[in-house]
Amino acid sequence: MSVAGLRRAAREAVSGFPREFWWLWTSTLVNRLGAFVATFMALYLTLDRGYSASYAGLVVALHGLGGVVSSLVAGVMTDRFGRRPTMLVAQLSTAVSVAVLGFMVHPVAIAAVAFVVGMASSASRPAVQAMIADIVPAKDRVRAFSVNYWAINLGFAVSSAGAGFVAEYSYLAGFVGEAVMTLICAVVVFMKVPESRPQEAGSALPDATAADGVRLGTVLRDGRFMGVVGLSFVIALIFQQGYVGLPVAMGADGFSSSDFGAAVAVNGVLIVVLQIPVTRFIQSRDPRRLLIVSSLLAGYGFGLTAFAGSVGVYALTICVWTVAEIVNAPVQNGLVVQLSPVHGRGRYQGMYALSWSAAALVAPLMSGVVIDRFGAGWLWGTCAVLGTAAAFGYWLLMRNLPRDDVASAPAVSGGSPVVGSEPAVEKAA
């Protein structure tokens, strides 16, 4: 594609969004520019504090457990109290708890505060996803989720490389830096992002009554949606190894935190470069196949890590599973929005976020135990098996769904999907 063609593609990818979306996008970018704890916690505990991989896995798992606890609560808050208040509470709590974590020295205190950080940092996810679905028309959501994901990874690419060198100097500076950036994110939301919770027809007040009609039990009884949640957990379990298993494995091989930061920054850089052209590509492709192929790429991308012995080879394996991430994230986000009733978006997004939080709980325990007892090669082999299982699961889940229904079926408004019907999947993200 020519330079002019790339510019035209970029303009088309980012045009037409409401102003509120761009302020939300800005807050996402600022938040990710300060990311440190989730990326460097394992290295901080093993290299700086001298704890074992199993203890590091336990602490990171507690961080994930906090996310499990908060995901559903935040989803209910998002529907009942609004997207904006939920985000503000989550971001302010994250800023305070991350700063406190940097000063903890006792093993029990580190574990306890890591749990609180996990609760706070995961609480904003349902609200952000629900707000994007609220303010962006259905026809533009594929681009909106992709552009927002682009901001996440632009911030991640910058922060992971920079934070790796900051960690060489002082891990405490990394914790404080994340707290400050999260606080700035909260200020942006408070000053510029309006509430977007759907309103009852003819009323100026948010429709809390309709939201109350969609309860957590409603979500749990939605079989197809819960199937998506289960598969999301498997995929997330694989991707989490890039931030819990990979740094520990590289540290055991003698690589420094800056080596890991440079290698994993490839993930963010590649997404920044490829997200927009890949978005244009996937808009015209069958989402069923995209989910299957991305699952295989994720599993075998991590599986290839077993053969890595240098920073360059680690970076090449990261390229493989990053392509899977670029494809999977927007397609799966669109699938979740499509299966979510308008007034229950918070609860549905909370359940979806739970799959990632649960994976953040299980992944470090899995990686720590497997690496300590069997070696990193077994961990990467397990990822390949999980990727294959997820691909098969997506095929089973949507094999009887015509492509036209996958691409265009509307979501059910004001309640759960109609009992007895098979809710379709929108080709959007």
Side-chain angles (χ1 to χ4, degrees):
M1 182 180 290
S2 65
V3 174
L6 287 174
R7 289 177 179 174
R8 183 171 59 255
R11 284 196 301 270
E12 292 174 356
V14 301
S15 63
F17 296 128
R19 182 177 59 182
E20 294 82 1
F21 170 81
W22 287 113
W23 283 115
L24 187 63
W25 182 90
T26 301
S27 71
T28 298
L29 177 62
V30 172
N31 189 48
R32 293 305 297 172
L33 283 171
F36 182 83
V37 172
T39 307
F40 287 91
M41 175 65 79
L43 281 176
Y44 167 66
L45 294 174
T46 54
L47 296 185
D48 190 68
R49 293 292 182 179
Y51 293 113
S52 67
S54 295
Y55 173 78
L58 173 63
V59 173
V60 178
L62 285 172
H63 182 275
L65 178 61
V68 170
V69 172
S70 70
S71 293
L72 295 180
V73 175
V76 175
M77 288 177 60
T78 297
D79 282 338
R80 289 188 62 84
F81 304 112
R83 284 63 161 139
R84 186 169 175 266
T86 303
M87 282 190 284
L88 287 173
V89 170
Q91 290 159 358
L92 292 174
S93 300
T94 301
V96 173
S97 57
V98 165
V100 171
L101 180 60
F103 291 95
M104 295 295 100
V105 294
H106 193 279
V108 176
I110 291 174
V113 178
F115 172 77
V116 176
V117 171
M119 287 185 63
S121 59
S122 297
S124 63
R125 186 180 300 165
V128 171
Q129 298 293 84
M131 182 172 280
I132 292 176
D134 293 339
I135 64 181
V136 177
K139 64 182 179 65
D140 294 326
R141 285 186 192 135
V142 63
R143 295 189 297 115
F145 281 114
S146 293
V147 171
N148 191 65
Y149 196 64
W150 186 78
I152 290 172
N153 286 279
L154 175 61
F156 174 75
V158 175
S159 68
S160 58
F165 292 102
V166 170
E168 291 285 323
Y169 169 72
S170 169
Y171 278 95
L172 178 59
F175 286 107
V176 174
E178 177 168 349
V180 171
M181 296 300 284
T182 306
L183 186 60
I184 294 173
C185 180
V187 171
V188 171
V189 171
F190 179 76
M191 298 293 293
K192 296 295 185 178
V193 179
E195 180 55 57
S196 67
R197 185 159 53 128
Q199 297 178 347
E200 187 176 10
S203 172
L205 298 175
D207 188 1
T209 302
D212 287 343
V214 181
R215 301 184 180 277
L216 290 178
T218 307
V219 184
L220 292 171
R221 289 191 297 271
D222 188 338
R224 189 181 296 280
F225 179 79
M226 291 306 298
V228 171
V229 170
L231 292 172
S232 172
F233 168 77
V234 176
I235 291 296
L237 196 63
I238 298 172
F239 284 132
Q240 284 289 325
Q241 298 308 324
Y243 314 107
V244 292
L246 185 61
V248 172
M250 289 186 69
D253 286 343
F255 295 100
S256 67
S257 59
S258 59
D259 291 330
F260 167 68
V264 79
V266 171
N267 171 259
V269 171
L270 202 59
I271 292 175
V272 169
V273 172
L274 295 181
Q275 188 70 65
I276 290 176
V278 169
T279 296
R280 290 171 57 84
F281 174 82
I282 65 178
Q283 282 181 307
S284 60
R285 298 298 187 273
D286 187 343
R288 299 168 300 182
R289 293 182 180 179
L290 293 174
L291 290 171
I292 291 170
V293 171
S294 65
S295 299
L296 293 173
L297 285 175
Y300 289 97
F302 276 98
L304 290 173
T305 310
F307 304 101
S310 66
V311 174
V313 178
Y314 275 114
L316 287 175
T317 65
I318 290 171
C319 288
V320 177
W321 57 260
T322 295
V323 173
E325 186 180 355
I326 291 171
V327 173
N328 182 272
V331 175
Q332 188 155 254
N333 275 325
L335 178 59
V336 170
V337 171
Q338 186 58 46
L339 295 178
S340 305
V342 171
H343 294 290
R345 281 174 178 158
R347 286 173 171 86
Y348 271 70
Q349 289 291 347
M351 186 63 71
Y352 173 61
L354 177 65
S355 67
W356 283 86
S357 297
L361 168 63
V362 175
L365 292 175
M366 181 180 80
S367 63
V369 171
V370 172
I371 290 175
D372 280 347
R373 294 188 179 183
F374 306 106
W378 281 89
L379 177 64
W380 309 131
T382 300
C383 288
V385 172
L386 290 174
T388 304
F392 183 66
Y394 279 118
W395 176 79
L396 284 177
L397 187 68
M398 295 187 286
R399 70 187 188 282
N400 296 324
L401 208 60
R403 180 177 176 179
D404 289 343
D405 290 344
V406 174
S408 61
V412 180
S413 177
S416 61
V418 178
V419 176
S421 69
E422 298 242 313
V425 182
E426 180 185 25
K427 187 172 64 175

